[in-house]
Amino acid sequence: MKPSIHPEYKTARVVCACGNVLETRSTRGDFHIEICSACHPFFTGKQKLLDTAGRIERFRTRYAASPAAAPAAKKAAPPAPAPKKAEATRENRAAKRARANAGKPRTEPRPAEDKGETPSA
């Protein structure tokens, strides 16, 4: 390792908001954090479980009548036909460029002498 180009790697104290103190090494030094493994719900086992059963029941009650009512509504009034869209032109990029440059004069390619190349025989 070259001397004097690497940062100093010293002992650091990481202090959590819950009061837990971790000793480690860092180039940053001491710092404070909001949550650590000692107080995070995932690691402590105090994680709040979601009420999925209530959500499923709410979904079923909300949409239970919809499938039965939907066929009756379709029979009563057929949907109006959608208006037809204008047919898109099937023109590729090269054809569009040719049409756009139709009246413009063409530039002639430079001879090989101008490019610094030797003409091939």
Side-chain angles (χ1 to χ4, degrees):
M1 286 185 14
K2 291 186 177 179
S4 73
I5 64 167
H6 298 284
E8 187 180 338
Y9 192 61
K10 55 191 173 197
T11 305
R13 288 182 57 177
V14 180
V15 182
C16 179
C18 71
N20 190 21
V21 178
L22 303 167
E23 295 288 332
T24 185
R25 293 179 54 114
S26 172
T27 58
R28 183 176 167 187
D30 297 346
F31 52 99
H32 299 279
I33 57 174
E34 296 176 10
I35 195 159
C36 68
S37 61
C39 61
H40 193 278
F42 181 78
F43 298 109
T44 60
K46 297 177 183 175
Q47 189 171 2
K48 180 182 174 186
L49 297 174
L50 297 175
D51 182 23
T52 55
R55 289 183 183 186
I56 293 169
E57 291 303 318
R58 257 189 302 176
F59 177 82
R60 286 184 180 157
T61 57
R62 182 182 296 167
Y63 295 106
S66 296
K74 286 183 182 178
K75 291 178 185 175
K84 292 194 174 193
K85 293 183 179 179
E87 187 67 31
T89 59
R90 293 270 188 200
E91 196 172 32
N92 63 12
R93 229 184 271 171
K96 286 181 183 178
R97 270 197 211 118
R99 189 171 36 104
N101 296 330
K104 296 180 183 176
R106 288 188 172 181
T107 58
E108 294 185 20
R110 296 188 316 189
E113 296 86 37
D114 291 346
K115 294 181 183 178
E117 298 174 0
T118 56
S120 58

